[in-house]
Amino acid sequence: KVDGCSRIEPGGSVRRWADTCHDLDLVASTVDPDALTAACCPAFDYDVILFPRQSSEHIFETMRYAQWEGKTCVFEIDDDLDHVPPASPAFATYHQGTEESAMIRKFMHHCHGMTCTTKEIARWYYQCTQNVSVVENFIDFSLRDWNVDVAYSGGVPFIKPKPARRLPGLEDKIVIGWQGGSTHVEDLQLLGPSISGILKKRENVVFAYYGAYEQMIEWVQRYGIPSDRVFHISARPFWEHPTGLHGVDIGLAPIACNQFNLAKSHLKLLEGMAAGAAMIGSNVGPYARFERRHPGSVLTVGTGKWSHNTWGEAILRLVDNPDLLQQMKVRGRQLTIDRYSLEKNIDLWPAAWQSIIQRVDEGLIGPPNRPPQGGYMMYGSAGANDKCPCGSGLKYKKCCKEAWG
């Protein structure tokens, strides 16, 4: 039995997730943190309690009571919050030295273990807890509207994509799209000059901006982008988020090369491909690693033998090659269904929790007695001829040097 302490859709998020566990004996629910008290906590009815990115002293006290009741407490995180870029609005809350960041470290220190989405996050926060399991991000096809049909037979999921949706009034256009919030402003600036040039030269191309309207206007004005060629898609709540991605032909995923982004996952690529777009990403960190795992699944921009020099070059390659564009759209969508569906990988979470419990029994809990070889950081510490920190066995200069810098 699993319980999640979360502010996202109280009472529903973990339960909806558990509904996909057709072949697992799993009972789950979500508890509103505001309703928790140490004396009477509904989460105490469960065996494993999840604490996703919690930084509340009140919740911390409840977590300690749960441990005294013999419950397994697992912290969850999907970002390196110690290295949020100063340009991000989240920097005011999360960076080394803030109360929130200190509280997150306290949670990690005292929880039985932690799950995170990338090896890079695990490597950095290993200093807070040595009991870490990495579970990648996947696409929840049966929980939200990804424009697919999901059916089960004998506990096995079968996911069938529906015909692609088009944005109203743009059926005859090639739609280039970007989605993000105020925390992605630095990344967005990488696109400005190329998008401005393409929209001025290609009448059959429009740009779909999925995010805050005010941020879109500021970006359009800064780079002289034709406003009549930009289509705004309003930001949507979590459960409706995929509906804003449909209708995009070419999805863009730029990220600036900083430590925060280097520890991120490839989720933005997966979301775009699941919605039916051909994706282009920066040849940096998670997107570079994804392209090397699945050659040809995405185009990359940046340094590197197979990367394009500019965003304009990569975009026009697809705009001017409709057959290649269609192939990448179909291939990418099928890749997410075959390899990155939550339904086909649901057993990874119970396995991660069981691994955490096993390591607790072995005494591997809390901070390590000494740091790992090479330190906690994976970036900037390897020499060109050293073995790559990613574990490939190749020399750093032959592997991830271009992506990590």
Side-chain angles (χ1 to χ4, degrees):
K1 296 175 70 177
V2 183
D3 181 59
C5 180
S6 173
R7 294 187 182 276
I8 300 178
E9 288 278 328
S13 58
V14 179
R15 281 202 305 273
R16 293 194 197 184
W17 169 83
D19 288 343
T20 66
C21 306
H22 286 250
D23 58 345
L24 297 174
D25 183 16
L26 179 64
V27 179
S29 75
T30 305
V31 175
D32 185 349
D34 294 331
L36 294 179
T37 64
C40 181
C41 178
F44 289 0
D45 294 334
Y46 294 81
D47 304 305
V48 178
I49 305 176
L50 311 179
F51 295 85
R53 199 186 286 201
Q54 288 292 336
S55 59
S56 163
E57 183 70 42
H58 166 58
I59 303 299
F60 178 81
E61 293 175 1
T62 303
M63 183 268 292
R64 296 295 280 166
Y65 275 103
Q67 290 179 320
W68 295 335
E69 292 289 330
K71 311 302 178 182
T72 299
C73 297
V74 178
F75 194 77
E76 292 187 323
I77 195 166
D78 61 353
D79 280 316
D80 176 359
L81 296 179
D82 278 346
H83 298 95
V84 174
S88 169
F91 181 79
T93 302
Y94 297 114
H95 64 267
Q96 296 182 60
T98 65
E99 293 183 8
E100 289 81 1
S101 291
M103 197 66 208
I104 283 175
R105 284 172 165 266
K106 188 176 180 180
F107 262 100
M108 293 178 183
H109 185 111
H110 289 281
C111 274
H112 291 101
M114 182 179 82
T115 59
C116 60
T117 51
T118 69
K119 293 180 181 179
E120 290 68 39
I121 295 174
R123 182 66 177 266
W124 172 249
Y125 283 120
Y126 183 81
Q127 59 190 291
C128 300
T129 175
Q130 58 188 315
N131 195 357
V132 184
S133 289
V134 177
V135 183
E136 291 188 5
N137 281 315
F138 296 95
I139 298 297
D140 50 348
F141 286 104
S142 60
L143 298 185
R144 296 184 288 170
D145 182 8
W146 291 101
N147 196 31
V148 299
D149 288 321
V150 181
Y152 284 84
S153 177
V156 178
F158 291 89
I159 304 171
K160 181 180 179 181
K162 298 179 182 179
R165 296 174 184 169
R166 302 298 300 173
L167 291 173
L170 301 178
E171 291 84 359
D172 60 340
K173 302 291 186 181
I174 296 177
V175 181
I176 303 171
W178 175 87
Q179 62 99 1
S182 58
T183 59
H184 301 93
V185 172
E186 185 178 4
D187 304 328
L188 176 62
Q189 308 313 316
L190 299 174
L191 300 177
S194 294
I195 295 300
S196 179
I198 290 174
L199 294 185
K200 291 175 181 178
K201 296 177 181 178
R202 301 300 177 96
E203 292 293 331
N204 64 327
V205 177
V206 296
F207 188 84
Y209 188 107
Y210 183 11
Y213 181 77
E214 295 78 10
Q215 183 176 307
M216 180 193 76
I217 294 300
E218 190 278 333
W219 179 70
V220 166
Q221 293 176 346
R222 173 180 293 188
Y223 292 101
I225 297 172
S227 58
D228 61 333
R229 308 288 298 285
V230 178
F231 184 87
H232 180 245
I233 302 173
S234 300
R236 305 178 186 192
F238 174 78
W239 289 111
E240 299 175 13
H241 171 67
T243 62
L245 299 171
H246 297 306
V248 172
D249 298 297
I250 303 173
L252 307 182
I255 54 173
C257 189
N258 56 53
Q259 186 173 316
F260 176 78
N261 284 338
L262 291 169
K264 291 183 74 66
S265 75
H266 46 248
L267 179 60
K268 197 175 290 289
L269 295 181
L270 294 182
E271 289 182 335
M273 290 190 293
M279 293 301 296
I280 304 175
S282 297
N283 189 40
V284 169
Y287 304 157
R289 296 191 290 272
F290 186 86
E291 198 280 331
R292 289 171 186 175
R293 183 189 295 183
H294 304 291
S297 59
V298 299
L299 300 185
T300 57
V301 177
T303 60
K305 184 176 181 180
W306 305 110
S307 290
H308 299 78
N309 294 323
T310 67
W311 285 94
E313 178 184 324
I315 294 170
L316 289 178
R317 181 183 176 191
L318 295 180
V319 169
D320 295 337
N321 292 274
D323 290 341
L324 175 61
L325 173 59
Q326 184 61 26
Q327 289 172 11
M328 288 191 63
K329 291 170 66 175
V330 173
R331 187 188 312 153
R333 199 177 190 197
Q334 196 61 48
L335 175 63
T336 59
I337 291 173
D338 293 341
R339 297 285 298 275
Y340 293 99
S341 73
L342 174 67
E343 293 73 19
K344 295 180 181 180
N345 294 279
I346 197 71
D347 59 328
L348 295 180
W349 277 268
W353 301 328
Q354 187 59 49
S355 177
I356 287 173
I357 293 172
Q358 180 178 343
R359 290 195 291 265
V360 169
D361 294 338
E362 297 171 356
L364 298 175
I365 187 172
N369 294 325
R370 56 185 179 182
Q373 183 178 2
Y376 298 112
M377 299 301 302
M378 294 194 71
Y379 321 118
S381 60
N385 293 309
D386 294 339
K387 286 188 176 181
C388 186
C390 76
S392 66
L394 300 175
K395 291 183 179 181
Y396 184 49
K397 65 182 181 182
K398 295 290 186 180
C399 193
C400 292
K401 186 176 187 299
E402 291 178 349
W404 287 346

